[in-house]
Each structure stands twice: as structure tokens, then as C-alpha cells.
Amino acid sequence: MVLAVDVVIHFLWLIGGLALLYYGADWLVDGASRIALKLGISPLVVGLTVVAFGTSMPELLVCLKANSPELLVKPAEWLGVKFVTKGGSSDIALGNIVGSNIFNVALILGVAALIRPVVIHSQLIRREMPILILCSAVFLMMMADMVIQQWEGWVLIAGILFYVVSSVLLAKRAKNTKEFETEYDESDLVGWKAKMWCNLALCLVGILALVLGAHLLVDHGEALARIFGVPEVIISLTLFALGTSLPELATTVVASLKKQGDIITGNAIGSCIFNLMAVMGVTAGVEKLEGKHIAWLDLGVMMGVTLLIMPFMWTNMRLGRREGAVMVTIALVYSVMVVMMQR
């Protein structure tokens, strides 16, 4: 009876953590996107940078909480939450990123295509997809010994800084503010342009919600894994990866219904790039990551879906419902395989 009550309590806290991650990312993206709007950045670039960064924040906070929990003690105390740190888990951090990238490409783009065929911007084929494939290949090389050293983390950080700066410079060179403004309801923008502090405050609240959400998700997810005897890597590859991908999934569904294809593809591909370079870079830069239970199957599936989506996008420069069904099926089959293997 006591065990059943504990399980229910952990599940409730887990749901609370996922809700905080979702709303925190939503608030962060909302504020940051409007700031970007005032700067006149195009919708595709906003999806690739601002929205991708915001929706990757859950992964970053979960990875830092898992690998270097002491870093989040002070921000959590700002929220009036005190918790005792314990040894980190690199497997949770690595599993979260590998699983999130699989879900970002296979599930999120797949769901978007099922809702409505997604038109592909030529810039994605020319620039972003080659960058994502290169980042994935570099990540696999770093994982050859199943360890990402601190210096490798800093190499990844340098890479994401170069990517963001070059993206913004290219956006400024081909600025199209009118196109971006049509992505949002004009009445929603009235007043926000003149109130930059509101956007900054919204970003701050979103970040604080993400900190607390990451703490709840990791701690109570680990507790449930111990109760049911499920390895941590399984939890991170499925539950955590899907949970921290909820902001991307929610953004994709809304954008699909509003026919905002650039935001959809930019968000999904940009989030994968940020996960591999920014999230992995910062996490490993603070403390090295060692994958004890990450399998080459997981890394292979991540690389495989990344390579597979390229010809899908190239065909008629769109993702149709047939391609979407294939990608969603891959995500579901992979999830079932991970759970069934129970390594």
C-alpha cells in the first residue's frame, strides 16, 4: 500500500515537472520570439535559432541536472526550493539528447507532415541539413570511446556560437520583416514591441520554470525507475526524451494548423543542432560525459533518421503524409525496441 502511494506521488510530481518544462519553454519562446520580431529576423531563422534554443532549454536543464546537479542548486533556491544533490548520471544526459533528436526528426516532423504536408525551404537543404549531418557525425566520432571530454564540449560550444552568429548575419543580409510579422497575429504584437521589459521578464520566468521542472522530472523519474527496476538509460531514451520534446511537439502542432512551415522545420532541425552542440557542449564543458549504457543502436538510429529525412525533404521540396507516416512509425518502433531490450 505504501509503495502504491509512493508511485502515485512520484507520478504526480513527474507530471508537474513536465508541465513546468512545457510552460517554461513556451514562455521563453514567446518572449524571445517577440524580441526577435522587433529586430526584424525572418521566420525560418527565428525557428532555427530563437525558437530552437527555447525549446531545447528543457534538454539543457535536464542534462545539467543529471550530470552536474550542484549547478542548479542556487537557481532552484531563487524559487524557494531546496534540494540535496547526489551523484550525477551521464547516461541520463546522453540518453536524453540521443532520444530527443530521434523524436525531433522522426516524431515531430512526422506528426507535422501527417497533419498537413510541410513545404521545405531551400535553405534547409543547402545549409541546415548538411550542418545537422556534420554535427551528428562529429558527435558519433566523439562517442567512439563512449566519453565526451570537457575540451570536446568546448569545441561544440564554439561550433554553436559560430552557427548562431552566422545565421543572424545571414538573416540581416536578407531581412524580410513583413514575412515574419505575418506569422503572428498583429493584435498580439500591439504593445509588445514597446515593452521590451515584458519580454525579458517572460524569458526569465520561463527559465526559472525550466529549472524547477528539470529538477522534478529527473529526481522523480529516477525514483520511479528504481521502484520498477528500470535502467536509467531506458527512462532517459524514452520518457525524458519524449517529455523534453513536448515543447517542440506542441510548437509543431500549432504551427501546422496555422500553416507556418518555416517555423516547423526550423524548430525541429534547429533543436537537433542545438541539442548536439549547445546542450552537449555546455553539459560536457562543465563535467565530462561518460556513456556506460548508451548503445550503438541508439546512436545509429539517431544518425539514420537524420540521413533519411534528407531525401524525404528533397523530394518535391516537401514532406508529404506518406513520409510522415514512415517517420512516426520509426519513432514508435524504436521506442518499443528500447523498452523491450531493457538493457
Side-chain angles (χ1 to χ4, degrees), residues 3-329:
L3 182 61
V5 172
D6 288 342
V7 170
V8 172
I9 291 174
H10 286 308
F11 263 117
L12 291 176
W13 280 114
L14 198 66
I15 293 171
L18 288 172
L20 283 171
L21 286 176
Y22 173 79
Y23 286 109
D26 183 59
W27 294 332
L28 179 60
V29 169
D30 215 20
S33 296
R34 287 182 171 87
I35 291 173
L37 170 61
K38 189 171 183 180
L39 298 177
I41 301 175
S42 71
L44 178 61
V45 175
V46 169
L48 288 166
T49 55
V50 178
V51 179
F53 170 76
T55 55
S56 289
M57 281 298 290
E59 284 90 343
L60 176 59
L61 271 297
V62 167
C63 287
L64 287 175
K65 174 64 176 66
N67 197 52
S68 307
E70 65 280 354
L71 280 181
L72 301 186
V73 172
K74 185 59 67 175
E77 288 179 351
W78 296 344
L79 294 174
V81 178
K82 293 184 179 180
F83 57 90
V84 179
T85 60
K86 54 185 178 180
S89 173
S90 295
D91 274 327
I92 286 182
L94 287 167
N96 184 32
I97 292 306
V98 173
S100 290
N101 272 27
I102 292 172
F103 284 124
N104 281 349
V105 174
L107 182 64
I108 291 173
L109 285 179
V111 168
L114 286 175
I115 295 174
R116 180 179 282 110
V118 179
V119 177
I120 303 300
H121 197 289
S122 60
Q123 180 181 328
L124 280 174
I125 301 297
R126 295 195 317 267
R127 183 172 185 264
E128 266 60 47
M129 280 307 300
I131 289 175
L132 176 57
I133 292 172
L134 177 62
C135 291
S136 300
V138 170
F139 177 69
L140 289 185
M141 287 189 291
M142 289 182 174
M143 285 294 292
D145 58 355
M146 288 298 168
V147 177
I148 298 182
Q149 303 289 348
Q150 285 185 294
W151 69 268
E152 292 175 317
W154 285 104
V155 169
L156 293 173
I157 292 173
I160 195 62
L161 290 176
F162 177 79
Y163 171 75
V164 171
V165 171
S166 63
S167 295
V168 173
L169 290 177
L170 286 173
K172 287 295 184 180
R173 193 174 302 168
K175 185 167 69 172
N176 190 349
T177 308
K178 184 177 180 180
E179 179 190 1
F180 183 28
E181 288 181 349
T182 60
E183 298 287 340
Y184 297 89
D185 187 89
E186 291 187 5
S187 63
D188 189 46
L189 299 173
V190 175
W192 276 96
K193 286 187 176 182
K195 297 180 180 178
M196 185 69 75
W197 65 269
C198 289
N199 296 319
L200 295 173
L202 195 61
C203 290
L204 179 60
V205 172
I207 290 172
L208 292 177
L210 287 168
V211 170
L212 182 55
H215 163 60
L216 294 176
L217 183 68
V218 173
D219 276 16
H220 294 280
E222 285 180 325
L224 284 172
R226 288 193 295 270
I227 290 174
F228 291 108
V230 179
E232 290 178 344
V233 68
I234 303 298
I235 296 293
S236 64
L237 284 166
T238 54
L239 179 62
F240 288 178
L242 181 58
T244 54
S245 291
L246 286 178
E248 287 95 335
L249 183 59
T251 301
T252 294
V253 171
V254 172
S256 293
L257 296 175
K258 293 182 178 181
K259 301 181 180 180
Q260 298 172 355
D262 284 348
I263 292 292
I264 294 169
T265 52
N267 178 31
I269 302 304
S271 290
C272 289
I273 294 172
F274 270 84
N275 283 345
L276 291 172
M277 289 200 288
V279 178
M280 278 289 92
V282 172
T283 305
V286 172
E287 185 175 346
K288 74 174 183 179
L289 287 161
E290 185 175 355
K292 298 178 181 178
H293 300 289
I294 295 293
W296 278 103
L297 169 66
D298 309 311
L299 299 173
V301 171
M302 184 194 76
M303 190 70 192
V305 295
T306 302
L307 293 173
L308 180 62
I309 200 70
M310 184 72 164
F312 279 2
M313 287 182 169
W314 205 308
T315 306
N316 299 322
M317 297 301 289
R318 67 197 290 270
L319 280 178
R321 289 190 170 90
R322 183 180 302 174
E323 290 93 342
V326 172
M327 301 307 292
V328 171
T329 301

